[in-house]
Structures are given as structure tokens and as C-alpha cells.
Amino acid sequence: MNRVWTAALVVIGDEILSGRTEEKNIAQVANWLNRQGVRLAEARVVPDVLEAIVDAVNALRPVHDYVFTTGGIGPTHDDITVDSIAAAFGVPVVVHPQARLVLEDYYRGRPGGLTEARLRMARVPEGAELIPNPTSGAPGVRMGNVYILAGVPNIARSMLEGLEGKLEGGSPIVSVTVRAHVAESDVALLLKEVQDEHPGVSIGSYPFYGGGKFGADFVVRSEDADLAEGCARVLRDRLKAADFEVVSG
Amino acid sequence: MNRVWTAALVVIGDEILSGRTEEKNIAQVANWLNRQGVRLAEARVVPDVLEAIVDAVNALRPVHDYVFTTGGIGPTHDDITVDSIAAAFGVPVVVHPQARLVLEDYYRGRPGGLTEARLRMARVPEGAELIPNPTSGAPGVRMGNVYILAGVPNIARSMLEGLEGKLEGGSPIVSVTVRAHVAESDVALLLKEVQDEHPGVSIGSYPFYGGGKFGADFVVRSEDADLAEGCARVLRDRLKAADFEVVSG
């Protein structure tokens, strides 16, 4: 079995904790990490408070291969992610010369040009590298194993695209879904038996209601595609043998 | 100033961390807590792993008035929240007599009746109380200051409705939104000035793009409605005086 690569995500923003804004980055970061062969092992949502960000990042960066953050990298007073990551690493904040050039170019000809507020977006912890961002002027930032992304989901996505294939990882996790019109509670024992017979595979059970029928999706996941497929086949056969209606998978 | 009541949320589920399922409970728990006068101070997403759940709950329950969990209370092998909370409190898991009655009633006349798997949903940490759940048979559970809710958002919502008004809290947080067609970076300094002039008020800045125009929502939040309204008025006047287009608020 290959070594498992893990990451944690720190979602930064009062707007998530106040309920104003639905969280949208956990799922997209998780799916992107899966494709890089890295497992999202945990996520935390913290407020726009320096100590809270520092505590979360410093708790997570020694125990995971990668830490991603989203949010708090805009030009306003509540955007304190760069300052917080610098504090977490114990380094000063500096203006990154290349980020400054990117912003000068981006704001050339726009009213006001590169104002002091806009220049805030070129600030990085000393020693950091930039993550290119084709969508808007402000780049993302990598500091050690911490990747600082935007909070706006489509800008975060564009930064992830810029990082595609650049992270070291293991095998992508393969998932096979078996959908059946069953009550979870009728197959709980069957599921556990099938999982216990297949080490290296996990089976998740997710009930749904749709088209006037109750059912459940059984998601079989493994780093080994053959194991996942084999386990899904056994599960499917076992469900059919017990006269349950398997819809797909 | 009244004392601030805080809560943390532990979202339990591999399906969130794998990216399969979009997280939907943070926002609804946060909004519900606001109405109870309790602030959601942090949230964590953890996998279906007992140690991870125990660690998160035991880190959070001493530092917040309330801890909520969502997910992992169904009948299948990956539903281990009750076992984990019992482990966190160092108590055994028992079948709650009232929960058993509720389930017996719910499954009476359904094929199989109250099977062993279904009876799993009557298990609680010893000493826990039930949270009524009109939507489905399985009740939520309160253990000390930990409130165990379902992961399926509409069932979680129904359990929150059952708790309405039952939590001790402070003043609900009032938020007033001022929307303007401005670039955040053009008003960063103005925002900071207005916030600094209004202690007890926070101003969040959230850019948007809609109807062919860029803009930002400035969300003024305070426990004191008069303070929030007053600050929003000053912000609105200051934006207009600087010739920015204020849309609403």
C-alpha cells in the first residue's frame, strides 16, 4: 500500500460562521485534492481573527502534508489571512515584487491605478511564492506547505487549476456508487459484512428521496481501483440475492 | 455589554471530506444560533473516525457554551456519532427507553419492524436526553452541552425547530447590509475608518458580480440594533459623499 497523502483546509471568514454565505470551497478543494491523490482529512472554519487563524494553521501544518486556506485575501480591513500566516510562521509581511508587477499591470488604466488598498493584495509572508491566478489580479500564495487561496469559489477554482499536477501525492481515490431502492436500516448488516470482507475499502451509505421513492447510495471507496470495483460487484450481487432493487452501479 | 454566548459545530462525515456531498448545515445552524442569541464561533469537519470525533468534541466543549454535531446518527456501520460522544464523556452507550418507544411506534406495521439495525438509532450516551424529531423516527440527542443532530439538512432543521427557544443565549446579532456599485479596493480605507469610529460593530465586505456590474455588500453587524443602524447610516452617507453609487441599505 502506498503512503497516504493528507491535507487540511482552513476556511477563513465571518460570513460563513454568521450564516450569511453558504460554504462552497470544501467540496471543490476535496474533489481537486482527490484528483491529485491527496485526501482531505479535516477542515476548520474560523473567524476573521488573527489568533484563530494562527492556532488552526499551526495545529494542522505539522500533521498534514498540505494545508489550504480559503478567504481573507482581498483589499479590505477584514482581509487578514496573509498577516495571520506570516504570524504563524514567525516571519514579517513583505510586498512580493512579482505580485506588485502583476497588480500594476492589472490596474494600469483603471481609475486610481495601484492604490495603497490594492497594493495590500501584493503582500505575502517573507519567503512565500505566488500561485498564478488568471481570473483576477490578486495571486494566491504558497508559504511552506500552506496554500493560500481566495474565498470567492470561482477565483479559488482558478488558483487550483494553476496548481494542477504540481503537488506530490499518491494514487487518486476511486469511488464506485451502487444505488438501490432500499431502506438503509434493512441493509445495515449486509453492508457491514461486505465492508469487513474487503480491507482497504470503505463503504459509505447515503439515503436519498427522489422520484417518489426512498433509497440509498452506497459509495465504495479505495485507493485501489480493482479493490473498489470488486467490492462494489460483491455488494451489488449480495443486494440482488436478498431481493433488493439495485438501480445502478 | 452582555456576555457573549458561543457555540461550535462539528460536522461529521466522510461524504463531506470526499467532496461527494456539499456541506449545507453550517449556514443553517449558524442562522438558527443567531436567532437564539448565540454566536457560531468555529466549525470543524471530521471524518467517520471515532478518535477524530472525540478529539474535536473534547477540544470544543470546554471552551464554548454549546457544541452541535451533525451527521452519523443513522442505522449503518459508518454511523458512529453516539459511540464517539459517549467515548468523549467516558460513559457507556445505552438504549434510551423513550427513543425505543418512539422507534417501535414509527416502525410498527413496516416490514421487519424494529430490527436490530433500526434499534441502533435508540442508542444514546448514558445520561443523555432526547431532542424530538417530528420528521423521522430517529430523535436527536443532548449530552451535557453537546447537541447531536442528523446530517440530512431537512432532518437537522426539524431537530433545531424542536430546540427553538430552549437554549440560554444573549441578544441576537443584528446585521444591516449596505450594497454599493464600487470596487472593494476603492473603499477599503473608508470602510476601515467607519469601523474604527464604531466600537462594538464589525463591517464585512463581500464583493459580488451581477446584472453586468461589479459591487460589494457591506454587512454591518452588532448585538446592539441601534449601533448597527447608526453605523450603516454613517457608512451610506460617507459612500454617497464620495460619489459612490449606493444601491440599497
Side-chain angles (χ1 to χ4, degrees), chain A residues 82 94-103 121-125 127-133 137-143 147-148 159 162-163 166:
Chain A
V82 163
V94 297
V95 170
H96 192 290
Q98 195 192 332
R100 189 194 176 106
L101 287 175
V102 168
L103 289 170
M121 295 187 282
R123 296 163 74 249
V124 301
E129 285 181 7
L130 302 185
I131 302 171
N133 167 17
V141 174
R142 181 185 71 77
M143 178 70 192
Y147 292 74
I148 303 173
M159 290 174 177
L163 284 172
K166 292 190 180 156

Side-chain angles (χ1 to χ4, degrees), chain A:
Chain A
M1 185 77 78
N2 293 328
R3 124 164 173 51
V4 174
W5 295 74
T6 65
L9 172 63
V10 181
V11 174
I12 297 164
D14 289 351
E15 72 277 22
I16 306 294
L17 292 171
S18 73
R20 180 187 179 275
T21 304
E22 286 267 358
E23 210 298 315
K24 299 279 186 196
N25 283 316
I26 298 176
Q28 79 165 342
V29 169
N31 282 310
W32 181 86
L33 284 169
N34 282 343
R35 289 197 299 277
Q36 321 304 310
V38 177
R39 222 173 276 185
L40 182 59
E42 54 181 313
R44 297 192 188 183
V45 186
V46 299
D48 298 326
V49 172
L50 187 132
E51 295 73 24
I53 302 169
V54 169
D55 286 352
V57 167
N58 279 346
L60 296 168
R61 67 190 176 96
V63 294
H64 296 289
D65 297 297
Y66 307 104
V67 173
F68 285 75
T69 73
T70 57
I73 64 165
T76 56
H77 64 278
D78 54 343
D79 292 310
I80 59 165
T81 299
V82 163
D83 304 78
S84 304
I85 303 300
F89 281 83
V91 300
V93 172
V94 297
V95 170
H96 192 290
Q98 195 192 332
R100 189 194 176 106
L101 287 175
V102 168
L103 289 170
E104 273 173 358
D105 197 45
Y106 189 80
Y107 286 111
R108 182 167 296 132
R110 300 194 189 199
L114 185 53
T115 59
E116 195 184 336
R118 287 166 177 166
L119 191 58
R120 266 181 71 81
M121 295 187 282
R123 296 163 74 249
V124 301
E126 191 174 68
E129 285 181 7
L130 302 185
I131 302 171
N133 167 17
T135 302
S136 82
V141 174
R142 181 185 71 77
M143 178 70 192
N145 65 340
V146 179
Y147 292 74
I148 303 173
L149 307 179
V152 177
N154 65 335
I155 302 181
R157 182 167 56 245
S158 139
M159 290 174 177
L160 289 173
E161 283 163 9
L163 284 172
E164 187 78 39
K166 292 190 180 156
L167 257 56
E168 197 173 0
S171 311
I173 291 163
V174 176
S175 75
V176 184
T177 299
V178 177
R179 166 168 285 207
H181 284 140
V182 298
E184 269 192 305
S185 55
D186 284 336
V187 295
L189 193 62
L190 186 158
L191 285 181
K192 180 159 174 14
E193 282 170 4
V194 174
Q195 163 149 331
D196 289 348
E197 291 165 17
H198 293 82
V201 177
S202 75
I203 307 179
S205 172
Y206 308 109
F208 69 84
Y209 179 77
K213 280 189 169 181
F214 285 96
D217 284 326
F218 306 114
V219 179
V220 181
R221 307 179 84 240
S222 175
E223 277 182 50
D224 182 318
D226 291 342
L227 270 185
E229 289 288 354
C231 177
R233 201 157 43 234
V234 169
L235 175 58
R236 200 181 303 128
D237 293 346
R238 208 75 65 87
L239 286 167
K240 285 179 179 167
D243 270 341
F244 290 115
E245 184 190 353
V246 176
V247 184
S248 65

Side-chain angles (χ1 to χ4, degrees), chain B residues 182-228:
Chain B
V182 297
E184 269 192 305
S185 55
D186 284 336
V187 294
L189 193 62
L190 185 158
L191 286 181
K192 186 165 172 8
E193 281 169 3
V194 174
Q195 163 149 329
D196 289 348
E197 291 164 18
H198 292 83
V201 176
S202 75
I203 307 179
S205 172
Y206 308 110
F208 68 85
Y209 179 77
K213 280 190 169 181
F214 286 96
D217 284 326
F218 306 115
V219 179
V220 180
R221 306 179 86 240
S222 176
E223 278 182 47
D224 182 319
D226 291 342
L227 269 184

Side-chain angles (χ1 to χ4, degrees), chain B residues 5-152:
Chain B
W5 294 76
T6 64
L9 172 62
V10 181
V11 174
I12 298 164
D14 289 352
E15 71 277 21
I16 307 295
L17 291 171
S18 73
R20 179 187 181 276
T21 303
E22 287 266 358
E23 211 298 316
K24 299 280 186 195
N25 284 317
I26 298 175
Q28 79 165 345
V29 170
N31 282 309
W32 181 86
L33 284 169
N34 283 342
R35 290 197 298 277
Q36 321 304 310
V38 178
R39 222 173 275 187
L40 182 60
E42 54 181 311
R44 298 194 187 182
V45 187
V46 298
D48 298 325
V49 172
L50 186 132
E51 295 73 24
I53 302 170
V54 169
D55 286 352
V57 166
N58 279 346
L60 296 168
R61 67 188 175 96
V63 294
H64 296 289
D65 296 297
Y66 307 104
V67 173
F68 285 75
T69 73
T70 57
I73 65 165
T76 57
H77 63 279
D78 54 344
D79 292 309
I80 59 165
T81 299
V82 163
D83 304 78
S84 305
I85 303 300
F89 281 84
V91 300
V93 173
V94 297
V95 170
H96 192 290
Q98 195 192 332
R100 190 195 175 105
L101 288 176
V102 168
L103 289 170
E104 273 173 359
D105 197 46
Y106 190 80
Y107 285 110
R108 182 166 297 133
R110 301 195 189 198
L114 185 54
T115 59
E116 195 183 335
R118 288 167 177 163
L119 191 57
R120 268 181 70 81
M121 295 187 282
R123 296 162 75 250
V124 301
E126 191 174 67
E129 285 180 8
L130 302 185
I131 301 171
N133 166 17
T135 303
S136 83
V141 174
R142 180 185 71 77
M143 178 69 191
N145 65 341
V146 179
Y147 292 74
I148 303 173
L149 307 180
V152 177

